[in-house]
Amino acid sequence: MTQRDPLKQPHWRRSSYSGGGGDTGGDCVETALLPDGRFAFRDSKRPDAAVLAFGRAEAASWLRYVKAAEPRGLAE
């Protein structure tokens, strides 16, 4: 029996606030709940690139950081 790769097969969700929205565009991060209970995050424009996976506490901390950095941008 072949085990499914949980990072390739989860149900990815995108925020309705994403610029462009829908399946074809927008600058956003997609998230998915993995079978082991971790949360995965990826760039919607590069779904085959790196994926970040965090436990519940780490995901909450990372999201707080991203939300706090949003007004000035993460690139600064």
Side-chain angles (χ1 to χ4, degrees):
M1 183 166 140
T2 304
Q3 187 175 10
R4 184 170 72 156
D5 182 346
L7 295 179
K8 291 186 179 181
Q9 299 301 321
H11 175 71
W12 291 97
R13 298 181 343 176
R14 185 178 306 166
S15 170
S16 60
Y17 293 103
S18 167
D23 292 332
T24 59
D27 297 330
C28 69
V29 173
E30 295 176 316
T31 187
L33 180 60
L34 301 177
D36 64 4
R38 292 180 302 153
F39 293 89
F41 299 90
R42 71 179 183 183
D43 183 343
S44 65
K45 296 178 301 307
R46 299 179 57 209
D48 294 329
V51 172
L52 299 175
F54 301 111
R56 183 173 300 276
E58 293 84 3
S61 178
W62 184 74
L63 288 171
R64 279 191 301 273
Y65 169 79
V66 170
K67 288 178 182 180
E70 186 177 343
R72 62 182 180 275
L74 294 175
E76 291 182 19

